[in-house]
Amino acid sequence: MLQTWHVSTPRPIASKLAADTPFITGQFGGGKVEYAADDIDEIHEEWSEFVKGFIYRWYFVSAKQYFG
């Protein structure tokens, strides 16, 4: 998708900000998220199950390819 704007026609904007106004994009904290200890345990458990399932699937697919 490409929009072309004539060189002498400026791109439409809602309003201009003053030079000393910070530009807010919707992301806060630089992408860092703080979690409580209970959240960490829950995340660890969920990822452990995910990784365990991935390893089992990889193992059985590899074994089936190797042994036929």
Side-chain angles (χ1 to χ4, degrees):
M1 182 184 320
L2 175 69
Q3 293 182 345
T4 57
W5 298 96
H6 190 272
V7 175
S8 62
T9 307
R11 190 171 178 190
I13 58 172
S15 65
K16 283 195 164 195
L17 298 175
D20 60 347
T21 304
F23 185 66
I24 307 295
T25 61
Q27 293 183 340
F28 298 102
K32 295 180 182 177
V33 180
E34 294 185 19
Y35 293 101
D38 294 338
D39 295 334
I40 298 293
D41 292 339
E42 185 177 337
I43 292 168
H44 181 266
E45 185 177 330
E46 289 176 7
W47 272 100
S48 294
E49 291 298 317
F50 173 78
V51 170
K52 190 187 312 179
F54 178 79
I55 291 172
Y56 285 146
R57 285 190 300 275
W58 176 81
Y59 175 77
F60 287 119
V61 167
S62 299
K64 186 175 181 180
Q65 289 175 351
Y66 183 74
F67 294 114

